[in-house]
């Protein structure tokens, strides 16, 4: 049933205010020799619960199509069967199997790292993660709200530790994980590849942008998803990017675009199919990936710079627990502890919120021609998500549908922000959201998509239930 077009507003130009630039530039740490955040900037700004700052601004799988309705058996893949098969294989190098596990992706299999080197790398990664957590705490302050959240986070991590240890062992020691492949010349321009065990033909690819509140995002956060999908003959590329205060939202989008470009142009070297690439993001990563995709189609429409990859190479976009209209979320984030001042600094000022809100950008009447270039979009969200309410995905899907894009949202009843991404996969057995993704990626390969895998349990059930209860997310 056709719907009326939403009222549309002009997209204001990005402000060039010198005060905003000066405020933000002082927080940027751009040492290109390391991925660690600068400790010198942590004392420059503090935030607590009393901080006053600049004004800002169903059923388990339900399909939102104007209204929320139940998803039938073929609803997820039905409209995907008619999607365009885009081919830009001439942008990719000829395929050959890579045998490295290092950062350069170009050594022979005989140069595989020793156990000592692996342990050293694991120690360095652990040190980085510790610094990221401390950096987050330094920016959020030590008010009562964040003290209690930090304690809850510690309990949550402890309860899931049996699963984290097993996933960490796979990440550091599996020969099918290619870590820290360089894709650009900026700090943290690295990605991890998760490769299937067999190499019988080109594999579909999921380029994944991890979450982390734009502050503690890290490529290793996608290791559980990478392990799952690679077991189903799907290559996963987890893209790292600069976080705040090392970079702002424009830097994050630029890094994500460079990572996607690397995947599109080089994945054939690792056994991937350049004609079957999907883009996925989780939480803040879903927002960054959506911004990157929308910015790319604008560039291709002649509204921006030259491009190194094409949106036509992306067969579909998966957004997991993401937010796409920042004007509607800035106050919600403030109430959850991501204070308005720091959020506006991440987003480069209040005047930039519209520019980095994909739901608002696509409604710009001057950009209505970009809708046809967007790939099919599926948004996944739990109805009990308090970090980013599920209404964020429903609103974005409804907007896209009204404008003529192919979009769908799948809701999971009672699932929180982390249930879909962590607790459910660690529970073992069949993972509903995971099977929904696989059914799309392998939709045309009925034999492969039908081989459902019952994964082993990583964490006892009582610990998963306690983690669900104490989760600060």
């Amino acid at each position: 049933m056709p719907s009326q077009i939403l009222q549309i507003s002009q997209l204001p130009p990005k402000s060039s205010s010198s005060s905003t630039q000066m405020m933000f530039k002082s927080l940027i740490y751009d040492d290109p020799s390391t991925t660690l955040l600068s400790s010198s900037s942590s004392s420059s700004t503090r935030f607590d619960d009393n901080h006053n700052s600049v004004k800002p601004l169903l059923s388990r799988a339900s399909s939102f199509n104007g209204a929320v309705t139940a998803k039938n058996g073929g609803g997820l893949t039905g409209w995907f069967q008619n999607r365009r098969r885009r081919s830009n294989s001439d942008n990719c190098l000829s395929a050959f199997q890579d045998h490295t596990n290092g950062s350069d992706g170009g050594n022979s299999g005989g140069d595989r790292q020793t156990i000592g080197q692996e342990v050293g790398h694991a120690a360095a990664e652990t040190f980085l993660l510790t610094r990221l957590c401390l950096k987050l705490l330094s920016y959020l302050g030590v008010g009562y709200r964040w003290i209690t959240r930090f304690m809850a986070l510690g309990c949550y991590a402890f309860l899931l530790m049996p699963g984290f240890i097993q996933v960490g062992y796979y990440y550091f020691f599996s020969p099918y994980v290619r870590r820290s492949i360089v894709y650009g010349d900026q700090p943290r321009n690295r990605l991890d590849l998760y490769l299937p065990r067999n190499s019988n033909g080109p594999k579909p690819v999921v380029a994944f942008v991890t979450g982390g509140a734009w502050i503690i995002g890290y490529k290793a956060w996608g290791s559980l998803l990478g392990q799952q999908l690679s077991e189903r003959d799907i290559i996963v590329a987890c893209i790292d990017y600069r976080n705040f205060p090392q970079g702002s939202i424009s830097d994050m989008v630029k890094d994500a675009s460079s990572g996607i470009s690397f995947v599109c142009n080089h994945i054939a070297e690792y056994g991937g199919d350049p004609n079957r690439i999907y883009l996925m993001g989780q939480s803040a990563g879903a927002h960054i990936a959506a911004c990157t995709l929308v910015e790319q189609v604008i560039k291709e429409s002649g509204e921006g710079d030259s491009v190194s990859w094409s949106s036509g190479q992306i067969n579909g976009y998966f957004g997991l627990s993401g937010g796409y209209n920042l004007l509607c979320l800035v106050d919600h984030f403030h109430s959850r502890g991501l204070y308005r001042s720091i959020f506006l600094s991440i987003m480069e000022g209040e005047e930039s919120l519209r520019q980095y809100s994909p739901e608002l950008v696509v409604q710009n009447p001057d950009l209505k021609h970009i809708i046809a270039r967007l790939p099919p979009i599926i948004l996944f969200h739990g109805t009990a998500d308090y970090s980013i309410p599920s209404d964020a995905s429903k609103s974005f899907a409804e907007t896209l549908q009204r404008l003529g894009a192919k979009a769908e949202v799948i809701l999971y009843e009672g699932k929180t922000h982390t249930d879909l991404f962590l607790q459910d996969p660690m529970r073992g057995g069949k993972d509903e959201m995971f099977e929904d993704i696989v059914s799309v990626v392998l939709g045309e390969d009925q034999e492969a998509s039908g081989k459902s895998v019952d994964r082993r349990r990583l964490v006892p059930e009582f610990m998963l239930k306690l983690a669900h209860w104490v989760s600060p997310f």
Side-chain angles (χ1 to χ4, degrees):
M1 178 176 177
S3 303
Q4 292 184 349
I5 303 298
L6 293 173
Q7 279 296 98
I8 300 170
S9 60
Q10 285 282 354
L11 180 66
K14 183 176 177 181
S15 171
S16 59
S17 168
S18 59
S19 60
T20 300
Q21 293 175 354
M22 290 299 293
M23 173 189 72
F24 183 75
K25 286 182 179 178
S26 64
L27 295 174
I28 299 300
Y29 173 67
D30 62 11
D31 177 4
S33 64
T34 180
T35 61
L36 297 180
L37 296 175
S38 167
S39 60
S40 63
S41 65
S42 62
S43 62
S44 61
T45 307
R46 291 276 182 174
F47 302 92
D48 58 30
D49 289 343
N50 298 318
H51 186 82
N52 294 319
S53 56
V54 254
K55 293 184 179 179
L57 337 119
L58 350 147
S59 64
R60 128 6 224 159
S62 299
S63 172
F64 188 84
N65 191 10
V68 179
T69 57
K71 185 191 76 173
N72 58 37
L76 182 65
T77 58
W79 55 262
F80 259 87
Q81 294 175 355
N82 296 322
R83 70 182 184 274
R84 295 166 293 173
R85 175 56 58 93
R86 291 87 161 215
S87 173
N88 284 284
S89 57
D90 55 335
N91 289 334
C92 301
L93 304 179
S94 57
F96 62 91
Q97 183 64 39
D98 177 80
H99 298 286
T100 72
N101 203 23
S103 62
D104 59 358
N107 298 328
S108 65
D111 292 332
R112 194 172 300 282
Q113 297 180 1
T114 65
I115 295 297
Q117 289 173 319
E118 295 286 357
V119 172
H121 183 76
E125 299 280 311
T126 302
F127 179 68
L128 170 61
L129 302 186
T130 303
R131 288 287 299 274
L132 287 172
C133 291
L134 292 176
K135 178 61 65 177
L136 173 63
L137 186 62
S138 72
Y139 270 89
L140 296 174
V142 291
Y144 171 78
R145 181 185 304 169
W146 269 102
I147 289 176
T148 56
R149 291 276 174 85
F150 191 73
M151 293 175 63
L153 178 61
C155 294
Y156 176 79
F158 174 78
L159 290 168
L160 297 183
M161 191 56 65
F164 289 150
I165 291 174
Q166 296 174 72
V167 174
Y169 182 85
Y170 173 84
Y171 177 74
F172 288 116
F173 299 108
S174 172
Y176 300 102
V177 180
R178 308 286 188 260
R179 294 189 309 278
S180 297
I181 297 174
V182 178
Y183 69 77
D185 58 1
Q186 295 297 323
R188 297 187 64 174
N189 278 186
R190 308 287 188 271
L191 60 81
D192 295 330
L193 285 180
Y194 298 81
L195 305 176
R197 291 180 179 271
N198 71 74
S199 56
N200 54 343
K203 308 295 184 184
V205 182
V206 172
F208 181 63
V209 183
T210 61
W214 301 276
I215 300 174
I216 57 169
Y218 186 54
K219 56 188 174 64
W221 298 166
S223 55
L224 184 56
L225 177 73
Q227 182 179 1
Q228 280 186 298
L229 291 177
S230 64
E231 290 175 353
R232 297 292 291 274
D233 276 358
I234 300 171
I235 294 177
V236 179
C238 289
I239 300 171
D240 205 5
Y241 54 91
R242 286 169 285 177
N243 288 191
F244 183 83
Q246 194 177 22
S248 65
I249 183 62
S250 61
D251 298 312
M252 300 175 200
V253 171
K254 181 180 178 181
D255 288 351
S257 182
S258 297
I260 297 168
S261 175
F262 180 91
V263 172
C264 290
N265 292 295
H266 297 285
I267 198 60
E269 301 174 25
Y270 300 91
D273 187 347
N275 297 321
R276 289 192 292 167
I277 298 175
Y278 295 83
L279 178 60
M280 181 176 180
Q282 186 263 341
S283 189
H287 167 255
I288 294 170
C291 287
T292 304
L293 184 60
V294 171
E295 181 180 275
Q296 185 67 22
V297 297
I298 292 175
K299 288 180 179 179
E300 294 171 6
S301 301
E303 304 293 336
D305 302 327
S306 59
V307 298
S308 59
W309 60 282
S310 170
S311 61
Q313 294 173 271
I314 306 300
N315 283 242
Y317 167 80
F318 305 136
L320 172 57
S321 305
Y324 311 97
N325 185 342
L326 301 183
L327 291 179
C328 294
L329 291 171
V330 61
D331 290 327
H332 174 77
F333 289 152
H334 183 81
S335 69
R336 296 284 298 174
L338 182 55
Y339 301 119
R340 185 176 292 110
S341 294
I342 188 172
F343 184 70
L344 292 179
S345 295
I346 294 170
M347 297 301 159
E348 302 176 1
E350 185 175 351
E351 65 279 357
S352 295
L353 292 180
R354 283 185 174 272
Q355 179 180 350
Y356 293 107
S357 295
E359 181 180 336
L360 301 179
V361 173
V362 297
Q363 297 181 68
N364 186 339
D366 293 335
L367 299 175
K368 60 182 179 180
H369 56 284
I370 72 172
I371 297 299
R373 290 180 175 268
L374 291 172
I377 293 173
I378 303 182
L379 308 177
F380 305 94
H381 224 119
T383 60
D385 189 334
Y386 302 111
S387 295
I388 302 179
S390 58
D391 285 346
S393 289
K394 291 192 290 185
S395 178
F396 188 33
E398 182 182 40
T399 298
L400 289 169
Q401 290 168 352
R402 288 176 176 175
L403 295 174
K406 294 180 180 179
E408 183 178 356
V409 61
I410 301 176
L411 301 179
Y412 300 87
E413 187 68 27
K415 299 298 182 181
T416 66
H417 196 68
T418 56
D419 280 340
L420 296 173
F421 191 61
L422 286 177
Q423 287 99 292
D424 285 355
M426 289 185 176
R427 183 169 277 111
K430 292 184 179 180
D431 185 335
E432 294 172 333
M433 187 199 72
F434 171 75
E435 293 299 330
D436 285 342
I437 294 173
V438 171
S439 67
V440 174
V441 177
L442 300 179
E444 296 181 356
D445 187 346
Q446 296 298 326
E447 181 179 355
S449 61
K451 293 180 180 178
S452 178
V453 177
D454 286 340
R455 305 189 73 253
R456 64 185 180 85
R457 178 182 289 274
L458 302 181
V459 179
E461 184 64 24
F462 81 94
M463 297 181 74
L464 288 172
K465 290 183 177 179
L466 286 174
H468 174 94
W469 185 72
V470 304
S471 173
F473 302 107

